[in-house]
């Protein structure tokens, strides 16, 4: 047990280092190839889902990243890279939710609502674009959904989320205790936003 | 030196004569003054103009010009003051006549005086910057007569009073009026304007303000407009008779403002008689009058247009959303056409074919037709109805008229692709059942669709026609290849070979065909595949028809026109008289819903019930038993059973078509995005959406959310990527 996690930590650091190296090179074609090889290597090592998540959580603790930094952006992309299965271009919704809870914890005011929303209404995989766009969205959006621009070219899933938030918020407008009210309305939701 | 000499000589010669009589000037002036007096007293006949002219000439020549000129002013002023007293004394109606007469006399006198003083006018006046005699005479007339305190207001009052009397219907002396006005104009534009025109316009404004108020209280809109029009014409007539032509635009402006502009809103919205009522009741004359009057005032036409537009939108919306109307698609479309015809006619007859009105009409139709998502389907059904039976016995030109009208509605549709879907379905049914009335009409409409939407739109429809033609040839070839003996006994087969993709495909559920039929079908298959290698044939038994010869109980023979399914059912009764539902279902393998519908039309329709059913109910149950109906009888030899008429779709069918349409749109949207990005390389989200919408709007109106989803899909498939810095920008990846 000790051994495998120990090995894991080393691996994850190593992989991240390689990932950053590949991405910092400017040759598009070769870096694509290198990334592909790296992905194959990870896959052949037989990491399970839990091991990946655990490794990432160790990595995040030791990296000590600030939310706005470039490093965090790279790291956020790296998480997507690690969470893919069979080198797909997308991540399963459940894996994405776990990963988001891990990396965006404390960095995204609506993280809970977002994860609940995705869990409830989105059964498809999360595309790389949607994954990447959530990061700028998490930075600019406020708790009351201020800062969101409907013409802001956000992925449809984010648009749907905002619409869903509006419909639930208006249902619990007169409540002072937003937190609990939100949870309550979440469970008894009229599923109209998700039908898209 | 020599010139000096000559000059000296000349001057001496002059001086000699001038110095003759020191009282010369005074004497001469007396003569002239007397003459002027005589002229004013109508005694000019005794005067010698030659002598008078010479006198005046000499006075000027001898530097008494100033004396002559000031003498003239004094004398004329004195005379005019005398005249003024006479005019003032004239009573009532004689006032204007006296003024007119005196004015005439003054003009004559002025003419003579000017002739006498012509030399002064030519030399003294210009070099001393004096007013010429004629003008001087007018000025003095103006100052002493027209502007005399006792005449000025009286004159104005009299003139205005006459105009007022004429407006209230009295006949006035227009000649006199014209002369007086002409006098004012002769005295200068400012005299006419200040002493008449301005007050005239003010009084008129008051008059029409009061009158329009009265009219609007007691008249309906049409009547009011008639009165306003008459007033306007009267004023223009008045100008042409006795006012300055320049006054026309001013006075019509007053009438327009007081009678039209100030009451426009009230007029168009007048209860029971306003614009909407006129439109409803086709009051072409009233509408034309409103148009021609309102166009004279600012915002007049837009007022009419706005009311018309909102009326059109309201009634159109009611029409297309009325659930009662949705029951009959043909009637629904006919009503739309009627509505269009009605308003076309109004615009043609009453609104001068005004382009802006036509545009308003078009945009209104576009607005409300698309409120009902079923409009494309219904328009196609309307065409179907017309091409099936509605155009029978109608001349070619009239067919064109109907088709053109349909095209006009088609142009309003936003979802042209939906229309295409339905049109294809309906056309397929028409072609396959041979129910189309006129091939020419069918083709004509396709040509129209092609010019409207391009080749892409109609290529599949044209493919269907080609298939029909090719099938005919194929069948001829098939029968030519068969020996007459083998085919003598077997049923006649007519196959239509349909190219996959051109026709609205339905999931093929081939039923079990009767053995006799199966035989010929196999022969055909062998023949066809023999001549066309590499093809696949599958039978669309849900679309065919059959003619059956049947003999009933008392030996009466009939020919039954049925669908392929119905044929399969009826053929079973060749070998047994009694079959239950399940037996039929097993033997034919016709899908349950179709089977029930077929049995219903065979057993439950009065007059066409070639089968009998137990129990005798309207609906088909799974335990029902069917018998061959011995007692069937009909007046006709040929009996048509259960025709396949295109009907409006049921709810689930509608959903299915909608879904197919949405699916078909995806690649079109993606293609548009790629086309745009290929040429632009980098573009932001909102511009892509705008451009895609523009590119596709001739076919349908793409939903922005759908466009966004397509963009995301293209990003995922690496046709596009987001810009690393500005996330709203997309880049095309070659």
């Amino acid at each position: 047990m000790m051994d495998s996690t120990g090995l894991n930590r080393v691996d994850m650091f190593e992989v991240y280092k390689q990932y950053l190296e590949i991405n910092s090179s400017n040759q598009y074609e070769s870096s694509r190839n290198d990334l592909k090889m790296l992905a194959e290597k990870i896959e052949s090592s037989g990491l399970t889902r839990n091991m990946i998540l655990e490794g990432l959580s160790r990595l995040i603790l030791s990296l000590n990243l600030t939310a706005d930094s470039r490093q965090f952006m790279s790291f956020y992309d790296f998480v997507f890279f690690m969470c893919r299965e069979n080198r797909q271009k997308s991540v399963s919704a459940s894996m994405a939710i776990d990963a988001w809870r891990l990396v965006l914890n404390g960095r995204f005011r609506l993280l809970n609502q977002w994860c609940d929303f995705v869990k409830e209404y989105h059964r498809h995989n999360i595309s790389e674009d949607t994954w990447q766009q959530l990061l700028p969205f998490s930075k600019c959006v406020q708790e009351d959904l201020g800062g969101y621009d409907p013409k802001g070219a956000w992925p449809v899933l984010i648009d749907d989320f905002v619409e869903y938030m509006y419909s639930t918020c208006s249902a619990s407008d007169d409540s002072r205790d937003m937190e609990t009210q939100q949870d309550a309305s979440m469970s008894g939701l009229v599923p109209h936003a998700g039908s898209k | 030196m020599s010139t000096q000499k000559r000059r000296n000589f000349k001057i001496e010669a002059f001086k000699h004569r001038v110095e003759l009589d020191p009282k010369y000037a005074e004497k001469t002036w007396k003569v002239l003054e007397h003459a002027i007096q005589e002229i004013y007293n109508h005694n000019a006949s005794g005067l010698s103009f030659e002598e008078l002219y010479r006198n005046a000439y000499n006075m000027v020549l001898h530097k008494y010009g100033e004396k002559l000129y000031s003498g003239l002013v004094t004398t004329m002023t004195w005379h005019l003051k005398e005249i003024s007293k006479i005019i003032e004394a004239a009573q009532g109606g004689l006032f204007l006549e006296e003024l007119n007469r005196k004015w005439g006399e003054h003009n004559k006198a002025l003419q003579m005086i000017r002739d006498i003083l012509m030399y002064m006018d030519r030399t003294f006046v210009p070099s001393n910057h004096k007013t010429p005699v004629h003008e001087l005479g007018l000025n003095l007339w103006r100052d002493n007569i027209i502007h005399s305190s006792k005449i000025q207001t009286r004159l104005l009052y009299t003139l205005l009073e006459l105009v007022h009397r004429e407006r209230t219907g009295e006949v006035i002396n227009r000649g006199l009026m014209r002369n007086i006005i002409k006098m004012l104009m002769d005295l200068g534009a400012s005299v006419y304007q200040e002493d008449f025109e301005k007050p005239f316009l003010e009084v008129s404004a008051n008059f029409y303000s009061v009158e329009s108020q009265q009219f609007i209280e007691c008249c309906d809109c049409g009547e009011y407009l008639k009165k306003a029009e008459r007033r306007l014409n009267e004023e223009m007539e008045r100008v042409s008779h006795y006012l300055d032509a320049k006054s026309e635009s001013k006075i019509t402006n007053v009438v327009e403002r007081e009678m039209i502009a100030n009451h426009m809103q009230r007029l168009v919205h007048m209860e029971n008689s306003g614009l909407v009522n006129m439109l409803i009741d086709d009051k072409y004359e009233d509408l034309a009058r409103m148009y021609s009057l309102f166009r004279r005032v600012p915002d007049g036409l837009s007022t009419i247009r706005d009311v018309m537009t909102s009326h059109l939108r309201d009634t159109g919306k009611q029409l297309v959303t009325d659930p009662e109307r949705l029951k009959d698609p043909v009637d629904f479309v006919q009503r739309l056409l009627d509505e269009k015809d009605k308003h076309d006619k109004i615009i043609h007859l009453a609104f001068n074919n005004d382009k802006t009105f036509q545009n308003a009409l078009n945009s209104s139709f576009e607005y409300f037709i698309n409120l009902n998502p079923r409009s494309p389907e219904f328009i196609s059904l309307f065409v179907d109805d017309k091409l099936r039976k509605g155009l029978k016995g109608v001349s070619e030109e009239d067919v064109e008229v109907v088709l053109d009208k349909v095209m006009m509605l088609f142009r309003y549709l936003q979802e042209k692709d939906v229309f295409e879907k339905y049109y294809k379905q309906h056309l397929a049914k028409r072609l396959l059942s041979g129910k189309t009335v006129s091939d020419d009409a069918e083709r004509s409409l396709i040509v129209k669709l092609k010019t409207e939407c391009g080749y892409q739109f109609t290529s599949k429809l044209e493919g269907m026609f080609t298939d029909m033609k090719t099938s005919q040839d194929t069948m001829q070839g098939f029968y030519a290849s068969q020996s007459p003996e083998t085919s003598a006994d077997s049923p006649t087969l007519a196959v239509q070979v349909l190219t996959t993709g051109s026709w609205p495909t339905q999931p093929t559920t081939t039923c079990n065909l009767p053995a006799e039929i199966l035989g010929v079908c196999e022969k055909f298959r062998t023949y066809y595949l023999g001549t066309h290698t590499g093809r696949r044939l599958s039978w669309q038994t849900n679309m065919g028809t059959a003619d059956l010869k049947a003999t009933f109980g008392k030996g009466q023979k009939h020919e039954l026109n049925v669908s392929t399914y119905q044929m399969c059912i009826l053929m079973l009764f060749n070998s047994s008289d009694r079959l239950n539902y399940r037996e039929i279902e097993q033997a034919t393998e016709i899908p349950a819903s179709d089977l029930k519908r077929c049995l219903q039309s065979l057993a439950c329709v009065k007059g066409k019930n070639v089968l009998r059913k137990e129990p005798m109910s309207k609906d088909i149950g799974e335990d029902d038993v069917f018998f061959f109906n011995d007692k069937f009888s009909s007046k006709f030899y040929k009996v048509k059973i259960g025709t396949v008429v295109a009907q409006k779709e049921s709810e689930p069918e509608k959903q299915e078509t909608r879904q197919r349409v949405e699916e078909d749109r995806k690649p079109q949207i993606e293609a548009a995005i790629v086309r745009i990005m290929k040429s632009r390389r980098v573009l932001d989200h909102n511009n892509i959406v705008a451009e895609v919408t523009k590119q596709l709007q001739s076919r349908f109106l793409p939903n922005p959310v759908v466009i966004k989803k397509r963009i995301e899909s293209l990003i995922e498939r690496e046709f596009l990527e987001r810009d690393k810095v500005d996330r709203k920008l997309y880049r095309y990846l070659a």
Side-chain angles (χ1 to χ4, degrees), chain A residues 32 89-90 127 129-130 133 136 149 151-156 159 196, chain B residues 685-686 705 708-709 712 715-718 721-722 724 727-728 730 733:
Chain A
R32 258 172 82 97
K89 289 177 195 159
S90 56
S127 72
D129 184 55
T130 306
Q133 291 306 306
D149 173 11
K151 290 188 170 174
W154 297 109
V156 177
D159 288 337
K196 290 215 171 123
Chain B
H685 180 82
N686 293 326
V705 176
K708 204 180 220 182
K709 280 186 181 161
E712 279 181 37
I715 292 176
E716 228 178 317
R717 286 179 283 154
E718 295 180 12
E721 69 171 1
R722 266 189 215 263
K724 297 269 186 307
R727 41 167 298 280
K728 289 184 193 175
Y730 302 116
L733 298 172

Side-chain angles (χ1 to χ4, degrees), chain A residues 146-166:
Chain A
Y148 163 81
D149 173 11
K151 290 188 170 174
W154 297 109
V156 177
L157 187 63
I158 293 182
D159 288 337
D160 287 349
F161 170 66
V162 171
E163 198 182 313
Y164 155 89
M165 285 300 286
Y166 275 130

Side-chain angles (χ1 to χ4, degrees), chain B residues 621-645:
Chain B
E622 307 218 334
D623 300 317
D624 289 357
V625 184
F626 297 87
F627 303 89
F628 179 65
N629 184 7
D630 261 344
K631 299 192 180 69
F632 173 80
S633 71
S634 171
K635 297 186 274 192
F636 305 104
Y637 173 66
K638 283 190 178 180
V639 181
K640 203 162 95 183
I641 293 171
T643 47
V644 202
V645 180

Side-chain angles (χ1 to χ4, degrees), chain B residues 9-20 61-62:
Chain B
F9 168 76
K10 254 189 184 172
I11 289 167
E12 263 180 47
F14 272 124
K15 268 183 181 168
H16 230 59
R17 261 188 242 162
V18 168
E19 298 288 325
L20 272 179
L61 211 60
H62 295 132

Side-chain angles (χ1 to χ4, degrees), chain B residues 243-444:
Chain B
L243 297 185
D244 183 6
K246 290 196 207 77
S247 295
E248 181 174 304
S249 64
K250 295 179 193 164
I251 183 64
T252 48
N253 269 340
V254 168
V255 182
E256 285 155 9
R257 190 183 62 235
E258 295 300 334
M259 296 207 83
I260 302 165
N262 286 351
H263 299 287
M264 225 156 41
Q265 288 303 326
R266 181 140 173 213
L267 281 169
V268 291
H269 295 298
M270 211 176 248
E271 217 171 311
N272 300 324
S273 70
L275 177 54
V276 168
N277 294 80
M278 290 182 185
L279 290 172
I280 291 173
D281 300 334
D282 297 322
K283 296 252 168 110
Y284 301 123
E285 245 179 70
D286 288 345
L287 288 165
R289 190 169 293 121
M290 181 181 272
Y291 179 86
S292 70
L293 289 176
F294 276 39
R295 75 186 302 180
R296 300 173 145 270
V297 302
D299 302 328
L301 290 189
S302 65
T303 305
I304 301 183
R305 211 165 45 231
D306 292 350
V307 172
M308 183 186 85
T309 306
S310 75
H311 166 69
L312 275 171
R313 286 183 179 217
D314 287 350
T315 49
K317 193 174 172 179
Q318 262 171 33
L319 180 61
V320 300
T321 50
D322 182 356
E324 209 40 48
R325 293 278 86 81
L326 297 185
K327 286 182 185 157
D328 184 352
V330 177
D331 178 62
F332 173 90
V333 176
Q334 190 56 54
R335 277 168 193 267
L336 288 180
L337 287 177
D338 292 348
E339 192 74 5
K340 178 72 167 50
D341 280 348
K342 175 190 166 81
H343 289 96
D344 273 341
K345 201 167 169 197
I346 289 175
I347 290 175
H348 176 68
L349 290 176
F351 294 158
N352 195 27
N353 270 335
D354 192 318
K355 267 270 174 303
T356 60
F357 279 66
Q358 285 169 357
N359 292 344
L361 177 65
N362 288 337
S363 79
S364 305
F365 264 78
E366 197 176 319
Y367 160 77
F368 66 72
I369 277 190
N370 290 300
L371 286 180
N372 186 340
R374 306 202 72 167
S375 291
E377 182 190 354
F378 285 6
I379 293 173
S380 176
L381 278 170
F382 178 81
V383 180
D384 189 65
D385 178 73
K386 290 289 169 227
L387 290 174
R388 269 172 195 276
K389 52 188 184 221
L391 292 176
K392 230 174 238 170
V394 176
S395 77
E396 219 168 283
E397 294 93 69
D398 292 347
V399 171
E400 285 294 303
V401 170
V402 173
L403 296 183
D404 281 336
K405 284 183 176 170
V406 170
M407 285 309 296
M408 172 199 70
L409 290 184
F410 169 77
R411 254 168 244 140
Y412 295 136
L413 290 178
Q414 273 164 2
E415 302 189 300
K416 296 194 171 61
D417 56 340
V418 179
F419 173 84
E420 186 197 16
K421 272 255 149 28
Y422 284 108
Y423 191 77
K424 207 161 132 186
Q425 278 175 23
H426 297 154
L427 174 64
K429 281 184 186 163
R430 278 204 300 281
L431 289 177
L432 293 179
S433 60
K435 285 291 156 44
T436 178
V437 172
S438 150
D439 237 31
D440 289 343
E442 291 279 5
R443 285 183 187 280
S444 163

